[in-house]
Amino acid sequence: MPEIQLGAYTLRSHGAQLARIHMHDWLILLLLIIIDVVLNVIEPFHRFVGQDMMTDLKYPLQGNTIPFWGVPLVAVVLPMVVIAGIYYYRKDVYDLHHAILGLLFAVLITGVLTDAIKDAVGRPRPDFFWRCFPDGKGVFDAITKNVLCTGDKKVIKEGHKSFPSGHTSWSFAGLGFLAWYLAGKIRVFDRKGHVAKLCLIFLPLLVASLVGVSRVDDYWHHWQDVFAGSLLGTTVASICYLQFFPPPYDADGWGPFAYFQNLADSRPVGVQPSSSMNNYNNMQLTNAEYDDHDSDRPHLAIRSIGDDIEAGGLR
């Protein structure tokens, strides 16, 4: 009897088709990049900073524990490596394409929202005094007591971008998406009580949290900036993931909607769609195994990575 296996759709067989269907999505990603570049070029709002406010803004000006170029490595490249590894194992181009697309949407939408809020709020960083007065001699308006900065304009501009934390929001967007993705792949909510699966899911979130903590330790952000950035990144990551994948606790949470839709379109006669995809345009197959001795029905064997882990590890 024929067997329907996860892995019937590869880059060679369906890659070009997916690229054509989602061409507008990739163009929107390009637009988001352009918007984010513009937001980083424009001058942020210069909030009033009085002389008596400097008490909390005199932390030392120092470098970044996590450099700016390190954030894309942690939030984008690392999740992509994991996603590519799962594609190499499963050969499911729908999962590969939608995971990468969802990941990029998560980090870029988060980036645009973060930088837009930064420019609009203009909150001074904890080290603002030393950015404004690198010689340590404060100069203030005689009437308003507002700062009259004497430092480098680029350094001062960056000093008005404290809220929210971009390092943190990007990290939680990318690694938060990865946590959702892994939760679905290993079926962390299968009600079997494997705590080790939860540890794997919390690992990306721990890394994102440590990135956020480093921003406070480096005196580049107040704790409120980091907290807001983590909420923003996690929220956008969750929305973007659920745009392409069922919730991890769903019976079919291990694969993207598009995979089940395409599988349903090509299903053999006699195989009925499941209830979970009935809720998604009635186009998803049952996640079950049919009896080999059943009359004329094909044998359906779709397994998740979680199944393979429980059976003795990835092969």
Side-chain angles (χ1 to χ4, degrees):
M1 292 184 182
E3 185 176 11
I4 302 174
Q5 292 283 358
L6 179 64
Y9 310 112
T10 64
L11 279 171
R12 179 175 297 180
S13 64
H14 290 73
Q17 176 187 351
L18 270 176
R20 287 193 300 268
I21 293 174
H22 292 276
M23 181 62 67
H24 62 286
D25 292 319
W26 292 100
L27 292 176
I28 291 175
L29 285 177
L30 180 60
L31 178 61
L32 288 172
I33 294 175
I34 295 174
I35 294 174
D36 197 42
V37 170
V38 172
L39 289 172
N40 277 278
V41 171
I42 64 176
E43 194 72 21
F45 172 63
H46 285 212
R47 178 175 296 277
F48 173 83
V49 183
Q51 185 174 3
D52 58 346
M53 299 170 60
M54 280 296 182
T55 303
D56 297 327
L57 303 176
K58 286 187 176 182
Y59 289 92
L61 177 60
Q62 57 187 44
N64 297 282
T65 301
I66 307 295
F68 287 101
W69 55 263
V71 179
L73 292 180
V74 173
V76 180
V77 176
L78 177 59
M80 280 188 175
V81 169
V82 175
I83 293 169
I86 292 178
Y87 170 76
Y88 178 79
Y89 175 72
R90 280 300 186 188
K91 298 296 188 298
D92 178 13
V93 71
Y94 287 96
D95 186 88
L96 174 70
H97 178 272
H98 286 61
I100 291 179
L101 191 61
L103 172 67
L104 293 178
F105 265 115
V107 295
L108 287 175
I109 291 175
T110 298
V112 169
L113 292 176
T114 299
D115 290 327
I117 296 171
K118 279 178 178 287
D119 289 341
V121 174
R123 186 183 190 186
R125 296 185 185 273
D127 57 8
F128 183 78
F129 177 87
W130 296 104
R131 292 175 179 272
C132 192
F133 309 116
D135 58 0
K137 299 177 181 179
V139 181
F140 303 91
D141 186 275
I143 300 176
T144 65
K145 301 301 181 181
N146 191 21
V147 293
L148 299 175
C149 293
T150 59
D152 183 270
K153 290 185 177 180
K154 291 183 179 179
V155 177
I156 297 171
K157 174 184 176 180
E158 190 63 33
H160 284 281
K161 293 185 175 184
S162 187
F163 183 88
S165 168
H167 274 61
T168 308
S169 63
W170 263 62
S171 297
F172 272 91
L175 295 176
F177 187 94
L178 178 61
W180 276 98
Y181 182 76
L182 291 176
K185 287 294 173 289
I186 65 176
R187 295 189 179 182
V188 69
F189 301 115
D190 59 2
R191 300 182 181 181
K192 295 181 180 180
H194 296 296
V195 181
K197 292 183 178 181
L198 282 177
C199 295
L200 182 61
I201 301 310
F202 284 130
L203 183 59
L205 300 178
L206 173 61
V207 174
S209 299
L210 292 177
V211 172
V213 170
S214 75
R215 303 309 289 159
V216 178
D217 291 345
D218 293 339
Y219 307 120
W220 276 65
H221 287 285
H222 309 274
W223 71 266
Q224 299 95 331
D225 309 332
V226 171
F227 182 71
S230 65
L231 288 180
L232 177 60
T234 302
T235 301
V236 175
S238 302
I239 294 173
C240 289
Y241 179 84
L242 295 174
Q243 179 73 14
F244 297 100
F245 294 84
Y249 55 78
D250 191 275
D252 297 314
W254 49 269
F257 289 122
Y259 171 79
F260 295 109
Q261 178 176 334
N262 191 75
L263 195 60
D265 290 340
S266 59
R267 67 178 181 268
V269 177
V271 179
Q272 300 298 322
S274 69
S275 59
S276 66
M277 283 308 292
N278 282 334
N279 296 330
Y280 184 76
N281 297 328
N282 296 320
M283 290 192 295
Q284 183 175 358
L285 293 181
T286 53
N287 184 28
E289 185 171 327
Y290 285 84
D291 189 355
D292 286 334
H293 302 291
D294 224 352
S295 56
D296 295 321
R297 292 186 301 180
H299 176 65
L300 182 61
I302 303 178
R303 296 169 56 84
S304 73
I305 291 179
D307 295 329
D308 293 328
I309 292 176
E310 293 177 5
L314 300 181
R315 295 180 293 275

